[in-house]
Amino acid sequence: MNKDHILLKLVLDKIGFGNLQIENFTARKILQKKIYLLQLMGIDLGYRYNWYLYGPYCPAFANDTFTLRDEIRYDDEFNNYELNSKTNSKFDKLNKIASLPDTPQINEAEWLELVASLHYLKHIAYWSGKDNPEFEEVFQKLGESKPHLAGKKKLAKVAWERLDDVGLVRKKTLE
Amino acid sequence: MEDKFRHKIIIDPVHGDIGLSKLETELIDTPTFQRLRGIKQLGFAYMVYPNARHSRFEHSLGVMHIMSRILESFQSKDKNVVSEEDFRKQRIAALLHDIGHYPYSHLMEKIYWGSEQKYMRKKGQSEVEDASQPKEYPKHDRLGEIVITERKDIREKLKGNDIDPKDIVAIVRGEHIEIPPLLNASLDVDRLDYLVRDSFNTGLPYGRVDLNYIVNNLELIDKEIVVRAKARSSIEHMLMGRYFMFNTVYMHKTVFAFEEMIRKIVFILWEKGKIYKSGEDIEKMARADSDEFLAFDDGYLDKLIDKHANDRTDKTLAALCRAVKLRKPPKLVYEISELTFNDSNPSGEYAVLRRGWSDKVKEFAKDANIGIPEDRWIFKDIKGPEFEKVHPFMSLAEAGKLYDSKEQVLRELVKVKKRSGEITNLLADKSSVLHYMSRLKPKLCRVYVIGIDDTKARQITEKIDEWLRPSELG
């Protein structure tokens, strides 16, 4: 098994997707966004996300999950490895932004989409005239691209504050 | 073609006349763009297909040309679907999409850095302090971003014509939220050119697709490329052709062998500090307004290979470099090639080879009859080409119905517009051969050895056979 696939498997184990049970859209969406956010914490898995139409989304990561699902059926080399303590500590920061706020107005998949999208629009996405936008402009762009999130401004503000608390409004990544 | 795109005409053997605007002509004339003449599109494929020496230069022109044809096709149905400004930017993005490529395309970019070791360890081993490791080489699209936004000749041409270089980069990278991502779509312009161009230059027929018919039957609906049902056969042909081109060119056993040898050479050169040590050095070199980046093409590696072919201080490096110069690729001693359905298990042999190789190679190295050191073996589990990118967890019926969903993975599938106006994913159509082929997954495992003759190769093949298929051999 390639070492990068071993690492991916260990990371997926840590975030609860180790058996790659991603038979439904919601699970796939959660996984895509969690990996996006995890990379911001300083675990660089090499996946570059694009906006495409409803991003952030990484086709290469989607492909790797398909391949890995296959591989773990006949290769268990990953059992000989574990994440080191420094890496393990980064998941705590992920949980600070990824954990669902206590409200029925949003589910986990939508929450992660909200957080990831705000970050992506702030730091990576491009539009004409973009110049270090703040929350209002970012949220406006979010609403234009994703109408299903346009009515969730209060929650978006919570997401923005969580990103800010860990330093991801000032900076694109933590490392 | 509009007059503004006829400032200059370049004759291309694949597409015929390619028209250029004044700005595009000026961009092509920059030293930075001219560098692409020195980067072969197919890397070492010319070792098998002698005429496969076409470069990223003409490929970039071809992609721009196809982009333009597709946008014209969209506009012929709805003039407002693409603004003139976006048309202009899409052409330039297509022209510059490969500007950051490394020597021999992807070979140098993908040195094995072992960066995952920063994050994990073998069980039972103690934690080690982070050894400072040089920054990885940037991917070619990141290098392209630096070139477009920071290299003076490209940057100033764009800005001097009221184009923000960041706009172009965002289009190339699929990060622009206002302009549709046609460079990386399900029917992307990059693929449409390279298939036809690679076919032409290798002499193989598989990529000779009906480009005109495909382009004339494309529409832009909801920011996505959709093909009309009457061009379905042409699309199927293209997807099948891509599969055959992969098998006969991109993953040809000898082409692949040379590429693996080059990767070893590049890694040794990197370890010895003979090539750029860190990604920071590469980025600095790309930014600087100097000729160093202009010399960073295939010739950069060719000269190093020439130089080290007689390297008395490193016999391994010298042997590898001489093998490239004298066209002595590693010998393929074993191959398992299978096509299985998505949810089927691979064969027992495949599983045993994959799982057991790292121990077996040590055995072979010590075996008195074989005795070839580990560093002369190459084992590769190769991800083969799929006919269509199908999510293995979905049924075809599901994938067909979910066109309207926002599921990103489905956006990568080829979409067909029926006469009724209904849009569906191609693979959901049971009358399409892709419906069946898309569930097949190719598996390919190869074992090569460097620097042996045919007799030794046969001996090794027998040994591996004995290991993997003892009951058949009795």
Side-chain angles (χ1 to χ4, degrees), chain B residues 326-352:
Chain B
L326 300 176
R327 201 199 174 278
K328 301 277 183 216
K331 285 255 188 268
L332 178 66
V333 296
Y334 212 82
E335 178 180 85
I336 295 177
S337 177
E338 298 175 352
L339 266 181
T340 53
F341 286 100
N342 263 332
D343 47 8
S344 302
N345 284 326
S347 66
E349 280 174 40
Y350 177 89
V352 170

Side-chain angles (χ1 to χ4, degrees), chain B residues 334 336 348-349 352 461-474:
Chain B
Y334 212 82
I336 295 177
E349 280 174 40
V352 170
T461 304
E462 282 167 16
K463 275 280 187 185
I464 298 177
D465 249 342
E466 275 171 28
W467 167 44
L468 292 179
R469 300 190 294 155
S471 54
E472 284 183 38
L473 297 171

